[in-house]
Amino acid sequence: MAVEETKANILDAAESFFAEAGFHGTSLRQITERAGVNVASVNYHFGSKENLMDAVLRRRLEPLNAIRFARLEAVKAEAAEAGETPSVRAVMIALIDPTLRAVVQPEFGGFSIIMGRIFTDHRGAIMERVRPLIEPLLACYLEVLYEALPHLSREEVALRLRMSLGALQHAIHAVRGHLTDSCPRELVTALPEEAVVDSLIDFVTRGMEGS
Amino acid sequence: MAVEETKANILDAAESFFAEAGFHGTSLRQITERAGVNVASVNYHFGSKENLMDAVLRRRLEPLNAIRFARLEAVKAEAAEAGETPSVRAVMIALIDPTLRAVVQPEFGGFSIIMGRIFTDHRGAIMERVRPLIEPLLACYLEVLYEALPHLSREEVALRLRMSLGALQHAIHAVRGHLTDSCPRELVTALPEEAVVDSLIDFVTRGMEGS
DNA sequence: GTCTATAGATTGATAGAC
DNA sequence: GTCTATCAATCTATAGAC
């Protein structure tokens, strides 16, 4: 088996198990068995279980963040060309649209579940390793939102962004739950992906802009 | 040591460890050591580690849910007396106000972190055990919201409630992060509890009511 | 009810043959 | 690069003295 294929198989298996049972709830033996590789290969290719989790996250987050940065730059450029400040709605679309669309792709497996869990994990070594992947992105979006909402305090804008991220996270779970398996009935949406994207963007735009 | 005191000490220690490292990331030895009790006492008093988690959750959720049910009933009664349907805002206050106020109390320890993690866990034995504590409450709130928003489809209302719960969850983390320890800077709010409650209620009311 | 001691299984990581 | 074998540590749960 080619090296990259072996690594990809390990990453796929790890992603699904970490989503299902969490980092501590998953053993390397489960991962290597599902990946069809040897027990020792995780430590050979990744160094440790923790490094493996890091690789699982980076594989998805780095390309996704590149897109989200680019989308924000495009919004800023377009507004600058018109001599205006970007609209709140345009900024939120730049953040939400690529995120939700990426995350519902089947190959993203349990990534959204892992991220959702990490996002509510304030402690632990893993959060420390994801933080540098998230903070710069949020900082860029916040800068633009401060300009777009000059009548609000920075604290208020940051809190509203945080609440919007919560809405995004749960919307993702609502759609993904629909795609995957057993969920509390009330928490799964029967709406198609398109409808959820639209509803979410309207929801957070109203939330960000109000009063 | 009195029995109830022993059990309470175990529950306190378990709550903080489960919040810090998760269910699988916590050992009974860590819990019993912090609680100042014997290793065997968990199995004596609770039967198993999983039952202990169940008890940790019930201790907080059952009284909190009783309050949230009562608050909803009060809103319904008040509206019925005036011959109207309850306002969306009143319903969201009934849900959010007691939740956020309970959860920021110091004795609630890591409960909000545990709940946040479970809420994004669609699988696993623990979710199965929490579900009956959550679903009936959501169902009651949804019934009232359907009436208050008759121009929207039921799917749309349910999705919006879910997104509001996401906003609530992240608002809780924003305040609690402020009260506790290291968090990503952007994700912690410097605003006082009162301001967060107000901002959150405005945010979700706008989100639920729009278009 | 609380304790010590331990069974029995599983873990992450590594050493060394091929 | 992949394998087997294994180490040393850790885990949950329980048995039995007090």
Side-chain angles (χ1 to χ4, degrees), chain B residues 26-29 40 43 49:
Chain B
T26 302
S27 72
L28 293 181
R29 281 172 172 77
N43 280 288
K49 187 186 180 185

PDB file of all heavy atoms in Angstrom, chain B residues 26-29 40 43 49, chain D residues 10-16:
ATOM      1  N   THR B  26     -11.578  10.450  32.203  1.00  0.00           N
ATOM      2  CA  THR B  26     -11.543  10.518  33.662  1.00  0.00           C
ATOM      3  C   THR B  26     -11.575   9.113  34.258  1.00  0.00           C
ATOM      4  O   THR B  26     -12.370   8.287  33.825  1.00  0.00           O
ATOM      5  CB  THR B  26     -12.757  11.305  34.181  1.00  0.00           C
ATOM      6  OG1 THR B  26     -12.752  12.611  33.613  1.00  0.00           O
ATOM      7  CG2 THR B  26     -12.720  11.408  35.699  1.00  0.00           C
ATOM      8  N   SER B  27     -10.739   8.861  35.239  1.00  0.00           N
ATOM      9  CA  SER B  27     -10.746   7.551  35.900  1.00  0.00           C
ATOM     10  C   SER B  27     -11.423   7.662  37.261  1.00  0.00           C
ATOM     11  O   SER B  27     -11.453   8.739  37.883  1.00  0.00           O
ATOM     12  CB  SER B  27      -9.327   7.031  36.078  1.00  0.00           C
ATOM     13  OG  SER B  27      -8.660   7.759  37.082  1.00  0.00           O
ATOM     14  N   LEU B  28     -11.960   6.546  37.704  1.00  0.00           N
ATOM     15  CA  LEU B  28     -12.606   6.530  39.019  1.00  0.00           C
ATOM     16  C   LEU B  28     -11.612   6.869  40.113  1.00  0.00           C
ATOM     17  O   LEU B  28     -11.971   7.446  41.139  1.00  0.00           O
ATOM     18  CB  LEU B  28     -13.231   5.154  39.273  1.00  0.00           C
ATOM     19  CG  LEU B  28     -14.412   4.798  38.373  1.00  0.00           C
ATOM     20  CD1 LEU B  28     -14.968   3.436  38.737  1.00  0.00           C
ATOM     21  CD2 LEU B  28     -15.507   5.847  38.493  1.00  0.00           C
ATOM     22  N   ARG B  29     -10.354   6.519  39.892  1.00  0.00           N
ATOM     23  CA  ARG B  29      -9.331   6.839  40.901  1.00  0.00           C
ATOM     24  C   ARG B  29      -9.150   8.343  41.066  1.00  0.00           C
ATOM     25  O   ARG B  29      -8.996   8.849  42.173  1.00  0.00           O
ATOM     26  CB  ARG B  29      -8.012   6.183  40.500  1.00  0.00           C
ATOM     27  CG  ARG B  29      -7.970   4.709  40.831  1.00  0.00           C
ATOM     28  CD  ARG B  29      -6.729   4.055  40.255  1.00  0.00           C
ATOM     29  NE  ARG B  29      -6.585   2.686  40.714  1.00  0.00           N
ATOM     30  CZ  ARG B  29      -7.291   1.665  40.242  1.00  0.00           C
ATOM     31  NH1 ARG B  29      -8.196   1.874  39.305  1.00  0.00           N
ATOM     32  NH2 ARG B  29      -7.112   0.459  40.714  1.00  0.00           N
ATOM     33  N   ALA B  40     -13.510   2.128  46.074  1.00  0.00           N
ATOM     34  CA  ALA B  40     -14.635   1.202  45.901  1.00  0.00           C
ATOM     35  C   ALA B  40     -15.977   1.883  46.104  1.00  0.00           C
ATOM     36  O   ALA B  40     -17.010   1.317  45.757  1.00  0.00           O
ATOM     37  CB  ALA B  40     -14.488   0.031  46.862  1.00  0.00           C
ATOM     38  N   ASN B  43     -18.591   2.423  43.102  1.00  0.00           N
ATOM     39  CA  ASN B  43     -19.399   1.266  42.722  1.00  0.00           C
ATOM     40  C   ASN B  43     -20.390   0.889  43.818  1.00  0.00           C
ATOM     41  O   ASN B  43     -21.466   0.385  43.528  1.00  0.00           O
ATOM     42  CB  ASN B  43     -18.489   0.086  42.378  1.00  0.00           C
ATOM     43  CG  ASN B  43     -17.922   0.216  40.972  1.00  0.00           C
ATOM     44  OD1 ASN B  43     -18.632   0.053  39.994  1.00  0.00           O
ATOM     45  ND2 ASN B  43     -16.652   0.576  40.871  1.00  0.00           N
ATOM     46  N   LYS B  49     -19.522   3.403  36.726  1.00  0.00           N
ATOM     47  CA  LYS B  49     -19.079   4.719  36.290  1.00  0.00           C
ATOM     48  C   LYS B  49     -20.161   5.404  35.451  1.00  0.00           C
ATOM     49  O   LYS B  49     -20.393   6.608  35.570  1.00  0.00           O
ATOM     50  CB  LYS B  49     -17.797   4.557  35.462  1.00  0.00           C
ATOM     51  CG  LYS B  49     -17.112   5.857  35.078  1.00  0.00           C
ATOM     52  CD  LYS B  49     -15.940   5.571  34.136  1.00  0.00           C
ATOM     53  CE  LYS B  49     -15.231   6.849  33.723  1.00  0.00           C
ATOM     54  NZ  LYS B  49     -14.175   6.608  32.711  1.00  0.00           N
TER      55      LYS B  49
ATOM     56  P    DT D  10       0.495   4.930  35.432  1.00  0.00           P
ATOM     57  OP1  DT D  10       0.607   6.395  35.292  1.00  0.00           O
ATOM     58  OP2  DT D  10       0.812   4.233  36.709  1.00  0.00           O
ATOM     59  O5'  DT D  10      -0.991   4.517  35.026  1.00  0.00           O
ATOM     60  C5'  DT D  10      -1.471   4.808  33.717  1.00  0.00           C
ATOM     61  C4'  DT D  10      -2.762   4.063  33.481  1.00  0.00           C
ATOM     62  O4'  DT D  10      -2.473   2.644  33.389  1.00  0.00           O
ATOM     63  C3'  DT D  10      -3.738   4.168  34.656  1.00  0.00           C
ATOM     64  O3'  DT D  10      -4.735   5.138  34.361  1.00  0.00           O
ATOM     65  C2'  DT D  10      -4.370   2.766  34.735  1.00  0.00           C
ATOM     66  C1'  DT D  10      -3.684   1.985  33.657  1.00  0.00           C
ATOM     67  N1   DT D  10      -3.373   0.582  34.073  1.00  0.00           N
ATOM     68  C2   DT D  10      -4.101  -0.440  33.530  1.00  0.00           C
ATOM     69  O2   DT D  10      -5.005  -0.263  32.725  1.00  0.00           O
ATOM     70  N3   DT D  10      -3.748  -1.702  33.973  1.00  0.00           N
ATOM     71  C4   DT D  10      -2.749  -2.000  34.883  1.00  0.00           C
ATOM     72  O4   DT D  10      -2.526  -3.159  35.200  1.00  0.00           O
ATOM     73  C5   DT D  10      -2.033  -0.869  35.416  1.00  0.00           C
ATOM     74  C7   DT D  10      -0.940  -1.096  36.405  1.00  0.00           C
ATOM     75  C6   DT D  10      -2.368   0.360  34.994  1.00  0.00           C
ATOM     76  P    DC D  11      -5.894   5.444  35.385  1.00  0.00           P
ATOM     77  OP1  DC D  11      -6.311   6.824  35.097  1.00  0.00           O
ATOM     78  OP2  DC D  11      -5.416   5.059  36.732  1.00  0.00           O
ATOM     79  O5'  DC D  11      -7.082   4.458  34.984  1.00  0.00           O
ATOM     80  C5'  DC D  11      -7.497   4.410  33.616  1.00  0.00           C
ATOM     81  C4'  DC D  11      -8.337   3.159  33.372  1.00  0.00           C
ATOM     82  O4'  DC D  11      -7.494   1.997  33.451  1.00  0.00           O
ATOM     83  C3'  DC D  11      -9.401   2.918  34.435  1.00  0.00           C
ATOM     84  O3'  DC D  11     -10.562   3.657  34.100  1.00  0.00           O
ATOM     85  C2'  DC D  11      -9.628   1.419  34.294  1.00  0.00           C
ATOM     86  C1'  DC D  11      -8.276   0.884  33.838  1.00  0.00           C
ATOM     87  N1   DC D  11      -7.472   0.132  34.864  1.00  0.00           N
ATOM     88  C2   DC D  11      -7.597  -1.263  34.960  1.00  0.00           C
ATOM     89  O2   DC D  11      -8.394  -1.839  34.209  1.00  0.00           O
ATOM     90  N3   DC D  11      -6.855  -1.930  35.869  1.00  0.00           N
ATOM     91  C4   DC D  11      -6.010  -1.255  36.661  1.00  0.00           C
ATOM     92  N4   DC D  11      -5.285  -1.956  37.535  1.00  0.00           N
ATOM     93  C5   DC D  11      -5.876   0.159  36.582  1.00  0.00           C
ATOM     94  C6   DC D  11      -6.623   0.805  35.685  1.00  0.00           C
ATOM     95  P    DT D  12     -11.635   3.921  35.243  1.00  0.00           P
ATOM     96  OP1  DT D  12     -12.446   5.037  34.730  1.00  0.00           O
ATOM     97  OP2  DT D  12     -10.944   4.040  36.538  1.00  0.00           O
ATOM     98  O5'  DT D  12     -12.492   2.584  35.272  1.00  0.00           O
ATOM     99  C5'  DT D  12     -13.194   2.174  34.103  1.00  0.00           C
ATOM    100  C4'  DT D  12     -13.784   0.796  34.321  1.00  0.00           C
ATOM    101  O4'  DT D  12     -12.736  -0.100  34.751  1.00  0.00           O
ATOM    102  C3'  DT D  12     -14.870   0.745  35.407  1.00  0.00           C
ATOM    103  O3'  DT D  12     -15.975  -0.011  34.909  1.00  0.00           O
ATOM    104  C2'  DT D  12     -14.200   0.043  36.580  1.00  0.00           C
ATOM    105  C1'  DT D  12     -13.158  -0.836  35.897  1.00  0.00           C
ATOM    106  N1   DT D  12     -11.936  -1.111  36.725  1.00  0.00           N
ATOM    107  C2   DT D  12     -11.556  -2.420  36.952  1.00  0.00           C
ATOM    108  O2   DT D  12     -12.163  -3.379  36.538  1.00  0.00           O
ATOM    109  N3   DT D  12     -10.417  -2.562  37.732  1.00  0.00           N
ATOM    110  C4   DT D  12      -9.649  -1.540  38.259  1.00  0.00           C
ATOM    111  O4   DT D  12      -8.658  -1.784  38.944  1.00  0.00           O
ATOM    112  C5   DT D  12     -10.105  -0.193  37.970  1.00  0.00           C
ATOM    113  C7   DT D  12      -9.349   0.978  38.506  1.00  0.00           C
ATOM    114  C6   DT D  12     -11.215  -0.046  37.226  1.00  0.00           C
ATOM    115  P    DA D  13     -17.336  -0.068  35.793  1.00  0.00           P
ATOM    116  OP1  DA D  13     -18.452  -0.295  34.845  1.00  0.00           O
ATOM    117  OP2  DA D  13     -17.387   1.067  36.711  1.00  0.00           O
ATOM    118  O5'  DA D  13     -17.137  -1.399  36.627  1.00  0.00           O
ATOM    119  C5'  DA D  13     -16.733  -2.585  35.944  1.00  0.00           C
ATOM    120  C4'  DA D  13     -16.350  -3.658  36.954  1.00  0.00           C
ATOM    121  O4'  DA D  13     -15.048  -3.362  37.510  1.00  0.00           O
ATOM    122  C3'  DA D  13     -17.318  -3.764  38.145  1.00  0.00           C
ATOM    123  O3'  DA D  13     -17.855  -5.078  38.175  1.00  0.00           O
ATOM    124  C2'  DA D  13     -16.456  -3.461  39.363  1.00  0.00           C
ATOM    125  C1'  DA D  13     -15.045  -3.748  38.869  1.00  0.00           C
ATOM    126  N9   DA D  13     -14.006  -2.962  39.551  1.00  0.00           N
ATOM    127  C8   DA D  13     -13.961  -1.606  39.697  1.00  0.00           C
ATOM    128  N7   DA D  13     -12.899  -1.175  40.356  1.00  0.00           N
ATOM    129  C5   DA D  13     -12.205  -2.335  40.659  1.00  0.00           C
ATOM    130  C6   DA D  13     -10.997  -2.563  41.338  1.00  0.00           C
ATOM    131  N6   DA D  13     -10.255  -1.591  41.869  1.00  0.00           N
ATOM    132  N1   DA D  13     -10.585  -3.859  41.468  1.00  0.00           N
ATOM    133  C2   DA D  13     -11.342  -4.837  40.935  1.00  0.00           C
ATOM    134  N3   DA D  13     -12.496  -4.737  40.265  1.00  0.00           N
ATOM    135  C4   DA D  13     -12.869  -3.450  40.162  1.00  0.00           C
ATOM    136  P    DT D  14     -18.970  -5.448  39.287  1.00  0.00           P
ATOM    137  OP1  DT D  14     -19.935  -6.322  38.613  1.00  0.00           O
ATOM    138  OP2  DT D  14     -19.405  -4.240  40.012  1.00  0.00           O
ATOM    139  O5'  DT D  14     -18.102  -6.343  40.291  1.00  0.00           O
ATOM    140  C5'  DT D  14     -17.173  -7.270  39.736  1.00  0.00           C
ATOM    141  C4'  DT D  14     -16.348  -7.896  40.840  1.00  0.00           C
ATOM    142  O4'  DT D  14     -15.306  -6.984  41.260  1.00  0.00           O
ATOM    143  C3'  DT D  14     -17.130  -8.241  42.112  1.00  0.00           C
ATOM    144  O3'  DT D  14     -16.683  -9.513  42.559  1.00  0.00           O
ATOM    145  C2'  DT D  14     -16.700  -7.154  43.094  1.00  0.00           C
ATOM    146  C1'  DT D  14     -15.255  -6.980  42.672  1.00  0.00           C
ATOM    147  N1   DT D  14     -14.629  -5.697  43.103  1.00  0.00           N
ATOM    148  C2   DT D  14     -13.389  -5.748  43.696  1.00  0.00           C
ATOM    149  O2   DT D  14     -12.762  -6.776  43.874  1.00  0.00           O
ATOM    150  N3   DT D  14     -12.889  -4.512  44.059  1.00  0.00           N
ATOM    151  C4   DT D  14     -13.509  -3.271  43.898  1.00  0.00           C
ATOM    152  O4   DT D  14     -12.976  -2.253  44.271  1.00  0.00           O
ATOM    153  C5   DT D  14     -14.806  -3.319  43.291  1.00  0.00           C
ATOM    154  C7   DT D  14     -15.552  -2.047  43.074  1.00  0.00           C
ATOM    155  C6   DT D  14     -15.305  -4.513  42.922  1.00  0.00           C
ATOM    156  P    DA D  15     -17.697 -10.414  43.445  1.00  0.00           P
ATOM    157  OP1  DA D  15     -18.510 -11.218  42.517  1.00  0.00           O
ATOM    158  OP2  DA D  15     -18.373  -9.560  44.442  1.00  0.00           O
ATOM    159  O5'  DA D  15     -16.681 -11.353  44.213  1.00  0.00           O
ATOM    160  C5'  DA D  15     -15.314 -11.421  43.788  1.00  0.00           C
ATOM    161  C4'  DA D  15     -14.409 -11.589  45.011  1.00  0.00           C
ATOM    162  O4'  DA D  15     -13.857 -10.298  45.376  1.00  0.00           O
ATOM    163  C3'  DA D  15     -15.128 -12.105  46.264  1.00  0.00           C
ATOM    164  O3'  DA D  15     -14.274 -13.016  46.930  1.00  0.00           O
ATOM    165  C2'  DA D  15     -15.374 -10.844  47.085  1.00  0.00           C
ATOM    166  C1'  DA D  15     -14.141 -10.020  46.739  1.00  0.00           C
ATOM    167  N9   DA D  15     -14.327  -8.570  46.843  1.00  0.00           N
ATOM    168  C8   DA D  15     -15.411  -7.830  46.454  1.00  0.00           C
ATOM    169  N7   DA D  15     -15.286  -6.544  46.660  1.00  0.00           N
ATOM    170  C5   DA D  15     -14.029  -6.412  47.221  1.00  0.00           C
ATOM    171  C6   DA D  15     -13.297  -5.292  47.661  1.00  0.00           C
ATOM    172  N6   DA D  15     -13.748  -4.045  47.609  1.00  0.00           N
ATOM    173  N1   DA D  15     -12.058  -5.508  48.178  1.00  0.00           N
ATOM    174  C2   DA D  15     -11.596  -6.768  48.231  1.00  0.00           C
ATOM    175  N3   DA D  15     -12.187  -7.902  47.845  1.00  0.00           N
ATOM    176  C4   DA D  15     -13.415  -7.652  47.341  1.00  0.00           C
ATOM    177  P    DG D  16     -14.835 -13.911  48.119  1.00  0.00           P
ATOM    178  OP1  DG D  16     -14.162 -15.205  47.986  1.00  0.00           O
ATOM    179  OP2  DG D  16     -16.309 -13.813  48.143  1.00  0.00           O
ATOM    180  O5'  DG D  16     -14.251 -13.181  49.413  1.00  0.00           O
ATOM    181  C5'  DG D  16     -12.853 -12.905  49.489  1.00  0.00           C
ATOM    182  C4'  DG D  16     -12.588 -12.006  50.676  1.00  0.00           C
ATOM    183  O4'  DG D  16     -12.970 -10.644  50.362  1.00  0.00           O
ATOM    184  C3'  DG D  16     -13.385 -12.359  51.942  1.00  0.00           C
ATOM    185  O3'  DG D  16     -12.543 -12.164  53.068  1.00  0.00           O
ATOM    186  C2'  DG D  16     -14.520 -11.336  51.919  1.00  0.00           C
ATOM    187  C1'  DG D  16     -13.734 -10.140  51.414  1.00  0.00           C
ATOM    188  N9   DG D  16     -14.531  -9.017  50.942  1.00  0.00           N
ATOM    189  C8   DG D  16     -15.766  -9.027  50.330  1.00  0.00           C
ATOM    190  N7   DG D  16     -16.193  -7.837  50.041  1.00  0.00           N
ATOM    191  C5   DG D  16     -15.184  -6.989  50.471  1.00  0.00           C
ATOM    192  C6   DG D  16     -15.081  -5.579  50.420  1.00  0.00           C
ATOM    193  O6   DG D  16     -15.889  -4.773  49.968  1.00  0.00           O
ATOM    194  N1   DG D  16     -13.881  -5.143  50.981  1.00  0.00           N
ATOM    195  C2   DG D  16     -12.920  -5.936  51.514  1.00  0.00           C
ATOM    196  N2   DG D  16     -11.834  -5.331  52.004  1.00  0.00           N
ATOM    197  N3   DG D  16     -13.001  -7.262  51.564  1.00  0.00           N
ATOM    198  C4   DG D  16     -14.159  -7.697  51.020  1.00  0.00           C
TER     199       DG D  16
END
